[in-house]
Amino acid sequence: KNQVEQSPQSLIILEGKNCTLQCNYTVSPFSNLRWYKQDTGRGPVSLTIMTFSENTKSNGRYTATLDADTKQSSLHITASQLSDSASYICVGGASGTYKYIFGTGTRLKVLA
Amino acid sequence: GAVVSQHPSWVICKSGTSVKIECRSLDFQATTMFWYRQFPKQSLMLMATSNEGSKATYEQGVEKDKFLINHASLTLSTLTVTSAHPEDSSFYICTPRSSDVEAFFGQGTRLTVV
């Protein structure tokens, strides 16, 4: 069964600190792994997309890693800002289908 | 990448009434549109896949007679929640099928049924 699990469920950090969010996936046949940021009441916005051949991808202060062997991904946020407060969703894409498998997300709260 | 506009962004309706949600692909011809539903603190769940010019396909457990989907053109797909009830209160989001790896989502519609 295709599934994506994320940890932690929620996280609170102080502004300026770094944090790392985790994602374990079981998606077969695996095509790509994405990270989205979702503000409350808004649609998800893409941060990074990685295929199985990519190990890391950065988008500003966001850096995602992918280990296709262990089926794990992480999203590292550097020098967090108050505007980083949101839900971060890990999404798996399977080959041969345009359907996406969504994780339940990590709710991040950045405090001043 | 595709730009997706969803309307309305929020709606409050009385129980028993119907609500129509529009999803427009502004710069992309979407032969297929995915409709998702998201309950509070939960993940996005695929409800149905709309196909231009043909019937939508629904995920298991989603009532096709309750959630009417129309995909009459390559740029517009609509989801109508018929005879809405409080348990239908949710966040509804659409995204077009794209040949790119990227998936762009609409901004979502917050439905509250009172």
Side-chain angles (χ1 to χ4, degrees), chain B residues 40-74:
Chain B
K41 298 183 180 180
Q42 293 187 24
S43 180
L44 279 74
M45 295 297 294
L46 181 65
M47 296 176 64
T49 303
S50 73
N51 302 291
E52 188 265 337
S54 63
K55 290 183 178 180
T57 56
Y58 292 81
E59 296 301 300
Q60 190 174 11
V62 179
E63 300 175 56
K64 62 179 182 180
D65 295 329
K66 182 172 183 61
F67 298 98
L68 301 179
I69 290 177
N70 184 282
H71 195 149
S73 76
L74 291 173

Side-chain angles (χ1 to χ4, degrees), chain A residues 21-77:
Chain A
L21 314 180
Q22 301 293 341
C23 173
N24 294 329
Y25 65 91
T26 304
V27 176
S28 182
F30 177 74
S31 173
N32 58 81
L33 193 289
R34 314 133 179 262
W35 284 92
Y36 284 86
K37 177 185 178 185
Q38 185 179 22
D39 293 311
T40 301
R42 307 287 293 177
V45 175
S46 178
L47 295 177
T48 63
I49 302 172
M50 290 179 291
T51 62
F52 66 89
S53 61
E54 297 177 288
N55 299 121
T56 185
K57 183 162 284 188
S58 292
N59 177 0
R61 295 180 296 103
Y62 302 102
T63 299
T65 65
L66 176 65
D67 187 332
D69 292 330
T70 62
K71 296 182 172 54
Q72 295 180 324
S73 177
S74 67
L75 179 69
H76 185 75
I77 304 175

Side-chain angles (χ1 to χ4, degrees), chain A residues 32 34 36 38 41-44 46 49 89 98-100 102-104 107, chain B residues 34 36 38 43-44 46 59 91 93 97-99 101-103 105-107:
Chain A
N32 58 81
R34 314 133 179 262
Y36 284 86
Q38 185 179 22
R42 307 287 293 177
S46 178
I49 302 172
I89 306 172
Y98 285 92
K99 294 185 179 181
Y100 313 114
F102 287 79
T104 52
R107 291 189 301 281
Chain B
F34 298 111
Y36 289 85
Q38 185 179 34
S43 180
L44 279 74
L46 181 65
E59 296 301 300
F91 193 57
I93 308 176
R97 170 178 170 169
S98 170
S99 59
V101 178
E102 184 67 82
F105 290 84
Q107 63 268 49

Side-chain angles (χ1 to χ4, degrees), chain B residues 11-31:
Chain B
V11 57
I12 301 174
C13 70
K14 290 185 177 181
S15 186
T17 61
S18 296
V19 173
K20 179 185 284 188
I21 301 170
E22 294 186 346
C23 183
R24 293 183 183 274
S25 180
L26 300 182
D27 61 350
F28 175 74
Q29 292 189 326
T31 56

Side-chain angles (χ1 to χ4, degrees), chain A residues 73-87:
Chain A
S73 177
S74 67
L75 179 69
H76 185 75
I77 304 175
T78 304
S80 61
Q81 301 175 357
L82 298 179
S83 59
D84 292 333
S85 296
S87 286

